[in-house]
Amino acid sequence: MAERTQYEELVRQFSAFGAVKRELGRNLPPDCLGGSVAVLTLIGRQSNIRMRRLAELLAVDMSVTSRHVTHAVDRGWIERSPDPADKRSRILRLTPEGQERLEEIAERTTQLLSHRLSDWSDDEVGQLILLMARLRASFDDHGPVPVQPARSAPSTRTPLIIT
Amino acid sequence: MAERTQYEELVRQFSAFGAVKRELGRNLPPDCLGGSVAVLTLIGRQSNIRMRRLAELLAVDMSVTSRHVTHAVDRGWIERSPDPADKRSRILRLTPEGQERLEEIAERTTQLLSHRLSDWSDDEVGQLILLMARLRASFDDHGPVPVQPARSAPSTRTPLIIT
DNA sequence: TATTGTTATACTCTATAACTATA
DNA sequence: TATAGTTATAGAGTATAACAATA
Protein backbone atom coordinates (compact mmCIF):
# COMPACT_ATOMS: atom_id res chain seq x y z
CA MET A 1 0.00 0.00 0.00
CA ALA A 2 1.51 3.25 -1.13
CA GLU A 3 1.17 6.64 0.53
CA ARG A 4 -0.71 9.73 -0.44
CA THR A 5 2.21 11.70 -1.84
CA GLN A 6 3.08 8.75 -4.03
CA TYR A 7 -0.45 8.60 -5.41
CA GLU A 8 -0.36 12.29 -6.16
CA GLU A 9 2.89 11.87 -8.01
CA LEU A 10 1.44 8.96 -9.96
CA VAL A 11 -1.52 11.06 -11.04
CA ARG A 12 0.87 13.81 -12.07
CA GLN A 13 2.66 11.33 -14.33
CA PHE A 14 -0.66 10.22 -15.76
CA SER A 15 -1.46 13.80 -16.63
CA ALA A 16 1.88 14.49 -18.26
CA PHE A 17 1.65 11.25 -20.21
CA GLY A 18 -0.74 12.97 -22.60
CA ALA A 19 2.22 14.62 -24.31
CA VAL A 20 3.59 11.21 -25.25
CA LYS A 21 0.31 10.09 -26.71
CA ARG A 22 -0.06 13.30 -28.68
CA GLU A 23 3.34 12.85 -30.25
CA LEU A 24 2.45 9.30 -31.23
CA GLY A 25 -0.71 10.71 -32.77
CA ARG A 26 1.24 13.23 -34.83
CA ASN A 27 3.33 10.37 -36.15
CA LEU A 28 0.35 8.69 -37.83
CA PRO A 29 -0.20 8.68 -41.60
CA PRO A 30 -2.48 11.41 -42.97
CA ASP A 31 -6.21 10.64 -42.82
CA CYS A 32 -5.50 8.02 -40.16
CA LEU A 33 -7.07 8.99 -36.85
CA GLY A 34 -6.10 7.55 -33.51
CA GLY A 35 -9.45 5.85 -33.19
CA SER A 36 -8.91 4.02 -36.45
CA VAL A 37 -5.47 2.92 -35.36
CA ALA A 38 -6.82 1.34 -32.20
CA VAL A 39 -9.53 -0.41 -34.17
CA LEU A 40 -7.19 -1.66 -36.87
CA THR A 41 -4.71 -2.91 -34.30
CA LEU A 42 -7.28 -4.94 -32.40
CA ILE A 43 -8.92 -6.38 -35.49
CA GLY A 44 -5.46 -7.27 -36.74
CA ARG A 45 -4.99 -9.32 -33.60
CA GLN A 46 -8.43 -10.84 -33.48
CA SER A 47 -10.09 -11.12 -36.84
CA ASN A 48 -13.79 -11.77 -37.41
CA ILE A 49 -14.63 -9.84 -34.30
CA ARG A 50 -18.03 -8.29 -33.57
CA MET A 51 -18.68 -4.67 -32.59
CA ARG A 52 -19.64 -5.53 -29.05
CA ARG A 53 -16.44 -7.41 -28.36
CA LEU A 54 -14.34 -4.75 -30.05
CA ALA A 55 -15.86 -2.09 -27.83
CA GLU A 56 -15.00 -4.21 -24.79
CA LEU A 57 -11.39 -4.48 -25.88
CA LEU A 58 -11.19 -0.75 -26.58
CA ALA A 59 -12.84 -0.01 -23.23
CA VAL A 60 -15.02 2.66 -24.80
CA ASP A 61 -18.73 2.90 -25.49
CA MET A 62 -20.01 1.03 -28.50
CA SER A 63 -21.20 4.29 -30.04
CA VAL A 64 -17.60 5.44 -30.09
CA THR A 65 -16.48 2.15 -31.55
CA SER A 66 -19.11 2.42 -34.23
CA ARG A 67 -17.80 5.79 -35.33
CA HIS A 68 -14.20 4.65 -35.46
CA VAL A 69 -15.12 1.55 -37.42
CA THR A 70 -17.22 3.58 -39.84
CA HIS A 71 -14.25 5.85 -40.45
CA ALA A 72 -12.11 2.85 -41.36
CA VAL A 73 -14.85 1.20 -43.42
CA ASP A 74 -15.30 4.41 -45.42
CA ARG A 75 -11.62 4.25 -46.33
CA GLY A 76 -11.72 0.60 -47.29
CA TRP A 77 -9.63 -0.65 -44.40
CA ILE A 78 -12.28 -2.74 -42.69
CA GLU A 79 -14.94 -5.03 -44.10
CA ARG A 80 -18.15 -4.96 -42.07
CA SER A 81 -20.31 -7.92 -43.03
CA PRO A 82 -23.51 -9.28 -41.48
CA ASP A 83 -23.26 -12.13 -39.00
CA PRO A 84 -25.24 -15.10 -40.35
CA ALA A 85 -25.68 -16.46 -36.82
CA ASP A 86 -27.20 -13.24 -35.43
CA LYS A 87 -28.64 -10.72 -37.81
CA ARG A 88 -28.20 -7.92 -35.30
CA SER A 89 -24.44 -8.37 -35.28
CA ARG A 90 -21.78 -7.48 -37.79
CA ILE A 91 -18.48 -9.22 -38.34
CA LEU A 92 -15.37 -7.12 -38.77
CA ARG A 93 -12.18 -8.04 -40.55
CA LEU A 94 -9.33 -6.20 -42.19
CA THR A 95 -9.24 -5.75 -45.93
CA PRO A 96 -5.89 -6.10 -47.73
CA GLU A 97 -5.75 -2.29 -47.76
CA GLY A 98 -6.37 -2.32 -44.02
CA GLN A 99 -3.52 -4.74 -43.48
CA GLU A 100 -1.25 -2.53 -45.51
CA ARG A 101 -2.29 0.48 -43.51
CA LEU A 102 -1.76 -1.39 -40.25
CA GLU A 103 1.68 -2.42 -41.43
CA GLU A 104 2.55 1.16 -42.24
CA ILE A 105 1.37 2.30 -38.82
CA ALA A 106 3.44 -0.36 -37.09
CA GLU A 107 6.47 0.65 -39.13
CA ARG A 108 6.12 4.31 -38.22
CA THR A 109 5.51 3.50 -34.58
CA THR A 110 8.56 1.29 -34.40
CA GLN A 111 10.66 3.95 -36.00
CA LEU A 112 9.50 6.65 -33.61
CA LEU A 113 9.86 4.55 -30.49
CA SER A 114 13.23 3.15 -31.48
CA HIS A 115 14.42 6.74 -31.66
CA ARG A 116 12.80 7.97 -28.52
CA LEU A 117 13.58 4.89 -26.44
CA SER A 118 16.96 4.18 -27.92
CA ASP A 119 18.55 4.09 -24.47
CA TRP A 120 15.89 1.84 -22.96
CA SER A 121 16.75 -1.81 -22.51
CA ASP A 122 14.45 -4.53 -23.68
CA ASP A 123 13.76 -5.37 -20.05
CA GLU A 124 12.83 -1.81 -19.14
CA VAL A 125 10.31 -1.59 -21.96
CA GLY A 126 8.93 -4.93 -20.81
CA GLN A 127 8.57 -3.65 -17.27
CA LEU A 128 6.59 -0.63 -18.41
CA ILE A 129 4.33 -2.86 -20.49
CA LEU A 130 3.70 -5.14 -17.52
CA LEU A 131 3.03 -2.33 -15.07
CA MET A 132 0.62 -0.57 -17.40
CA ALA A 133 -1.20 -3.83 -18.11
CA ARG A 134 -1.47 -4.46 -14.39
CA LEU A 135 -2.68 -0.93 -13.82
CA ARG A 136 -5.49 -1.51 -16.26
CA ALA A 137 -6.31 -4.81 -14.60
CA SER A 138 -6.43 -3.14 -11.19
CA PHE A 139 -8.97 -0.63 -12.45
CA ASP A 140 -11.02 -3.34 -14.07
CA ASP A 141 -11.10 -5.84 -11.24
CA HIS A 142 -12.62 -3.63 -8.60
CA GLY A 143 -16.13 -2.29 -8.58
CA PRO A 144 -17.05 1.32 -7.87
CA VAL A 145 -15.19 2.87 -4.97
CA PRO A 146 -17.43 2.98 -1.85
CA VAL A 147 -17.33 6.57 -0.64
CA GLN A 148 -17.47 8.52 -3.91
CA PRO A 149 -20.09 6.77 -6.02
CA ALA A 150 -22.03 9.59 -7.71
CA ARG A 151 -21.91 7.78 -11.04
CA SER A 152 -24.41 4.98 -11.46
CA ALA A 153 -26.29 6.18 -14.49
CA PRO A 154 -27.37 3.49 -16.94
CA SER A 155 -24.70 3.20 -19.55
CA THR A 156 -23.79 1.19 -22.57
CA ARG A 157 -20.19 1.54 -21.63
CA THR A 158 -18.43 -1.79 -21.36
CA PRO A 159 -16.09 -2.96 -18.63
CA LEU A 160 -12.37 -2.78 -19.12
CA ILE A 161 -10.89 -5.96 -20.48
CA ILE A 162 -7.23 -6.78 -20.61
CA THR A 163 -5.93 -8.05 -23.92
CA MET B 1 16.93 -1.70 -27.46
CA ALA B 2 13.57 -3.40 -27.70
CA GLU B 3 12.05 -5.10 -30.71
CA ARG B 4 9.17 -4.23 -32.92
CA THR B 5 6.59 -6.50 -31.33
CA GLN B 6 7.44 -5.03 -27.97
CA TYR B 7 6.93 -1.52 -29.25
CA GLU B 8 3.58 -2.48 -30.69
CA GLU B 9 2.53 -3.95 -27.38
CA LEU B 10 3.66 -0.80 -25.61
CA VAL B 11 1.54 1.33 -27.90
CA ARG B 12 -1.39 -0.97 -27.25
CA GLN B 13 -1.00 -0.35 -23.54
CA PHE B 14 -0.80 3.38 -24.16
CA SER B 15 -4.06 3.22 -26.04
CA ALA B 16 -5.85 1.22 -23.38
CA PHE B 17 -4.53 3.50 -20.66
CA GLY B 18 -7.21 6.00 -21.62
CA ALA B 19 -9.75 4.02 -19.63
CA VAL B 20 -7.76 4.59 -16.45
CA LYS B 21 -7.58 8.31 -17.03
CA ARG B 22 -11.28 8.52 -17.77
CA GLU B 23 -12.11 6.85 -14.48
CA LEU B 24 -9.88 9.28 -12.65
CA GLY B 25 -11.73 12.07 -14.42
CA ARG B 26 -15.09 10.74 -13.29
CA ASN B 27 -13.79 10.83 -9.73
CA LEU B 28 -13.31 14.61 -9.76
CA PRO B 29 -15.57 17.04 -7.90
CA PRO B 30 -18.39 18.60 -9.92
CA ASP B 31 -17.46 21.68 -11.94
CA CYS B 32 -13.81 20.65 -11.72
CA LEU B 33 -12.43 19.77 -15.13
CA GLY B 34 -9.30 17.76 -15.74
CA GLY B 35 -7.55 20.78 -17.17
CA SER B 36 -8.14 22.72 -13.97
CA VAL B 37 -6.84 19.85 -11.90
CA ALA B 38 -3.57 19.78 -13.79
CA VAL B 39 -3.22 23.54 -13.43
CA LEU B 40 -4.06 23.58 -9.73
CA THR B 41 -1.66 20.73 -9.05
CA LEU B 42 1.26 22.43 -10.74
CA ILE B 43 0.62 25.84 -9.21
CA GLY B 44 0.29 24.12 -5.86
CA ARG B 45 3.80 22.79 -6.34
CA GLN B 46 5.32 25.91 -7.78
CA SER B 47 3.60 29.09 -6.72
CA ASN B 48 4.02 32.48 -8.40
CA ILE B 49 4.47 30.80 -11.74
CA ARG B 50 3.95 32.50 -15.09
CA MET B 51 1.75 31.25 -17.93
CA ARG B 52 4.67 30.42 -20.16
CA ARG B 53 6.35 28.20 -17.61
CA LEU B 54 3.08 26.56 -16.67
CA ALA B 55 2.43 25.66 -20.29
CA GLU B 56 5.87 24.09 -20.47
CA LEU B 57 5.20 21.96 -17.42
CA LEU B 58 1.82 20.93 -18.78
CA ALA B 59 3.40 20.17 -22.16
CA VAL B 60 0.50 21.79 -23.97
CA ASP B 61 0.14 24.95 -26.00
CA MET B 62 -0.14 28.20 -24.10
CA SER B 63 -3.56 28.81 -25.62
CA VAL B 64 -4.76 25.64 -23.91
CA THR B 65 -3.14 26.65 -20.66
CA SER B 66 -4.83 30.03 -20.88
CA ARG B 67 -8.25 28.43 -21.14
CA HIS B 68 -7.67 26.10 -18.22
CA VAL B 69 -6.37 28.91 -16.05
CA THR B 70 -9.30 31.13 -16.98
CA HIS B 71 -11.67 28.36 -15.93
CA ALA B 72 -10.02 28.20 -12.52
CA VAL B 73 -9.80 31.99 -12.17
CA ASP B 74 -13.51 32.29 -12.93
CA ARG B 75 -14.20 29.97 -10.01
CA GLY B 76 -11.92 31.82 -7.64
CA TRP B 77 -9.30 29.08 -7.37
CA ILE B 78 -6.42 30.98 -8.96
CA GLU B 79 -5.31 34.57 -8.63
CA ARG B 80 -3.88 35.98 -11.86
CA SER B 81 -2.00 39.18 -11.14
CA PRO B 82 0.25 41.31 -13.36
CA ASP B 83 3.98 40.78 -13.21
CA PRO B 84 5.65 44.05 -12.13
CA ALA B 85 8.90 42.98 -13.76
CA ASP B 86 7.35 42.32 -17.17
CA LYS B 87 3.99 43.82 -18.00
CA ARG B 88 3.32 41.17 -20.64
CA SER B 89 3.40 38.40 -18.05
CA ARG B 90 0.97 37.38 -15.38
CA ILE B 91 1.77 35.73 -12.08
CA LEU B 92 -0.36 32.81 -10.94
CA ARG B 93 -0.96 31.60 -7.44
CA LEU B 94 -3.61 29.62 -5.62
CA THR B 95 -6.27 31.37 -3.59
CA PRO B 96 -7.33 29.85 -0.27
CA GLU B 97 -10.34 28.44 -2.12
CA GLY B 98 -7.99 26.95 -4.69
CA GLN B 99 -5.95 25.30 -1.99
CA GLU B 100 -9.09 23.85 -0.49
CA ARG B 101 -10.16 22.55 -3.86
CA LEU B 102 -6.73 21.06 -4.47
CA GLU B 103 -6.88 19.38 -1.10
CA GLU B 104 -10.26 17.89 -1.93
CA ILE B 105 -8.97 16.60 -5.25
CA ALA B 106 -5.95 15.00 -3.60
CA GLU B 107 -8.20 13.38 -1.02
CA ARG B 108 -10.50 11.90 -3.65
CA THR B 109 -7.57 10.72 -5.74
CA THR B 110 -5.91 9.04 -2.80
CA GLN B 111 -9.14 7.34 -1.91
CA LEU B 112 -9.69 6.02 -5.41
CA LEU B 113 -6.14 4.84 -5.93
CA SER B 114 -5.82 3.26 -2.53
CA HIS B 115 -8.79 1.11 -3.44
CA ARG B 116 -7.77 0.34 -6.98
CA LEU B 117 -4.14 -0.28 -6.17
CA SER B 118 -4.67 -1.88 -2.80
CA ASP B 119 -2.61 -4.90 -3.81
CA TRP B 120 0.28 -2.85 -5.21
CA SER B 121 3.35 -2.48 -3.08
CA ASP B 122 4.90 0.87 -2.42
CA ASP B 123 7.83 -0.20 -4.56
CA GLU B 124 5.66 -1.20 -7.50
CA VAL B 125 3.91 2.15 -7.53
CA GLY B 126 7.30 3.79 -7.36
CA GLN B 127 8.51 1.77 -10.33
CA LEU B 128 5.57 2.85 -12.43
CA ILE B 129 6.17 6.47 -11.48
CA LEU B 130 9.83 6.22 -12.43
CA LEU B 131 9.19 4.51 -15.73
CA MET B 132 6.52 6.99 -16.75
CA ALA B 133 8.72 9.91 -15.75
CA ARG B 134 11.52 8.46 -17.79
CA LEU B 135 9.21 7.88 -20.71
CA ARG B 136 8.27 11.51 -20.67
CA ALA B 137 11.91 12.54 -20.45
CA SER B 138 12.76 10.34 -23.41
CA PHE B 139 10.15 12.12 -25.47
CA ASP B 140 11.15 15.55 -24.23
CA ASP B 141 14.85 15.26 -24.75
CA HIS B 142 14.84 14.47 -28.42
CA GLY B 143 13.81 16.82 -31.15
CA PRO B 144 11.49 15.81 -33.98
CA VAL B 145 12.25 12.44 -35.48
CA PRO B 146 13.86 12.57 -38.95
CA VAL B 147 11.50 12.35 -41.90
CA GLN B 148 9.84 9.00 -42.36
CA PRO B 149 10.68 7.09 -45.52
CA ALA B 150 7.57 7.05 -47.64
CA ARG B 151 7.03 3.32 -47.62
CA SER B 152 9.24 0.81 -45.88
CA ALA B 153 8.88 -2.82 -46.78
CA PRO B 154 7.46 -5.02 -44.04
CA SER B 155 10.45 -6.20 -42.11
CA THR B 156 11.66 -7.72 -38.91
CA ARG B 157 14.98 -5.98 -39.19
CA THR B 158 16.70 -4.42 -36.25
CA PRO B 159 15.33 -0.93 -35.62
CA LEU B 160 17.46 2.02 -36.61
CA ILE B 161 19.64 3.26 -33.81
CA ILE B 162 20.28 6.95 -33.41
CA THR B 163 23.40 7.99 -31.58
C1' DT C 1 11.43 42.21 -34.17
C1' DA C 2 10.55 38.97 -30.65
C1' DT C 3 7.87 37.47 -26.71
C1' DT C 4 3.75 36.95 -23.55
C1' DG C 5 -0.67 35.98 -23.39
C1' DT C 6 -5.67 35.79 -25.12
C1' DT C 7 -9.32 34.59 -28.27
C1' DA C 8 -11.55 32.38 -32.35
C1' DT C 9 -11.93 28.35 -34.88
C1' DA C 10 -11.68 23.63 -36.00
C1' DC C 11 -10.77 18.83 -35.01
C1' DT C 12 -10.65 14.56 -32.18
C1' DC C 13 -12.33 11.65 -28.62
C1' DT C 14 -15.80 10.47 -25.48
C1' DA C 15 -20.47 9.51 -23.18
C1' DT C 16 -25.53 9.82 -23.12
C1' DA C 17 -29.81 9.19 -25.15
C1' DA C 18 -32.94 7.95 -28.72
C1' DC C 19 -33.62 4.96 -32.29
C1' DT C 20 -33.97 0.55 -35.42
C1' DA C 21 -33.71 -4.18 -35.99
C1' DT C 22 -33.36 -8.69 -34.24
C1' DA C 23 -33.21 -12.34 -30.42
C1' DT D 1 -38.02 -7.66 -22.85
C1' DA D 2 -33.37 -7.67 -23.86
C1' DT D 3 -29.46 -7.09 -26.92
C1' DA D 4 -26.50 -5.35 -31.16
C1' DG D 5 -25.58 -1.57 -33.42
C1' DT D 6 -26.16 3.33 -35.35
C1' DT D 7 -26.80 8.21 -35.12
C1' DA D 8 -27.48 12.83 -32.95
C1' DT D 9 -25.95 15.76 -29.59
C1' DA D 10 -23.07 17.78 -26.18
C1' DG D 11 -18.85 18.26 -23.48
C1' DA D 12 -13.86 18.25 -22.91
C1' DG D 13 -9.00 18.64 -24.65
C1' DT D 14 -6.01 20.11 -28.04
C1' DA D 15 -3.52 22.83 -31.90
C1' DT D 16 -3.24 26.62 -35.20
C1' DA D 17 -3.68 31.22 -36.41
C1' DA D 18 -4.71 35.93 -35.67
C1' DC D 19 -4.37 39.38 -32.49
C1' DA D 20 -2.91 42.86 -28.66
C1' DA D 21 0.43 44.55 -25.58
C1' DT D 22 5.01 44.85 -24.12
C1' DA D 23 10.17 44.00 -24.33
Side-chain angles (χ1 to χ4, degrees), chain A residues 1-4 6-24 27 38 42 45 57 59-60 103-104 106-122 124-129 131-136 138-139 142-148 151 157 160 163, chain B residues 1-4 6-17 19-24 26-27 38 42 45 57 59-60 103 106-120 122 124-129 131-136 138-139 142-145 148-149 151-152 154 157 159-160 162:
Chain A
M1 175 67 73
E3 294 185 2
R4 170 166 168 162
Q6 212 179 9
Y7 289 139
E8 292 174 15
E9 179 60 26
L10 185 59
V11 171
R12 169 74 192 111
Q13 295 302 327
F14 289 171
S15 172
F17 175 71
V20 172
K21 288 188 77 171
R22 289 194 294 277
E23 176 154 356
L24 286 168
N27 188 54
L42 284 173
R45 292 185 179 194
L57 295 177
V60 296
E103 175 62 30
E104 180 187 357
E107 184 63 32
R108 282 177 180 248
T109 297
T110 298
Q111 196 158 33
L112 176 61
L113 288 179
S114 61
H115 281 83
R116 294 290 193 243
L117 309 186
S118 59
D119 60 339
W120 287 54
S121 73
D122 191 86
E124 288 166 332
V125 175
Q127 277 186 26
L128 181 55
I129 291 172
L131 286 171
M132 292 191 74
R134 186 169 169 212
L135 180 70
R136 274 206 299 146
S138 293
F139 271 73
H142 304 63
V145 172
V147 182
Q148 315 276 352
R151 297 279 177 169
R157 184 184 162 275
L160 182 59
T163 51
Chain B
M1 176 62 73
E3 295 185 359
R4 172 165 168 162
Q6 212 179 9
Y7 289 138
E8 292 175 14
E9 179 59 27
L10 186 58
V11 171
R12 169 76 193 111
Q13 294 302 327
F14 289 171
S15 172
F17 175 71
V20 173
K21 285 188 79 169
R22 289 194 292 278
E23 176 154 356
L24 285 169
R26 286 189 291 269
N27 188 54
L42 284 173
R45 292 185 179 194
L57 294 177
V60 297
E103 175 62 30
E107 184 62 34
R108 282 176 181 247
T109 297
T110 299
Q111 197 157 32
L112 176 61
L113 288 178
S114 61
H115 280 86
R116 294 288 192 248
L117 309 185
S118 58
D119 60 338
W120 286 55
D122 193 85
E124 287 165 333
V125 175
Q127 278 186 26
L128 181 55
I129 291 171
L131 286 170
M132 292 190 77
R134 187 170 169 211
L135 179 70
R136 211 153 50 92
S138 293
F139 273 72
H142 305 65
V145 169
Q148 308 271 346
R151 292 279 176 155
S152 295
R157 68 176 165 76
L160 180 61
I162 300 303

Side-chain angles (χ1 to χ4, degrees), chain A residues 43-114:
Chain A
I43 300 181
R45 292 185 179 194
Q46 182 169 344
S47 197
N48 297 318
I49 193 175
R50 275 172 288 142
M51 289 294 303
R52 182 69 174 172
R53 172 65 177 155
L54 181 60
E56 287 174 5
L57 295 177
L58 291 170
V60 296
D61 192 89
M62 202 157 54
S63 65
V64 177
T65 307
S66 180
R67 281 192 37 185
H68 293 330
V69 167
T70 298
H71 181 269
V73 169
D74 290 345
R75 282 151 188 80
W77 304 334
I78 293 177
E79 180 187 81
R80 186 166 49 181
S81 48
D83 181 352
D86 184 341
K87 291 180 181 173
R88 296 173 302 179
S89 296
R90 309 179 80 168
I91 303 285
L92 307 174
R93 87 173 65 90
L94 294 185
T95 64
E97 293 77 15
Q99 294 194 11
E100 282 177 25
R101 187 52 66 120
L102 183 55
E103 175 62 30
E104 180 187 357
I105 293 163
E107 184 63 32
R108 282 177 180 248
T109 297
T110 298
Q111 196 158 33
L112 176 61
L113 288 179
S114 61

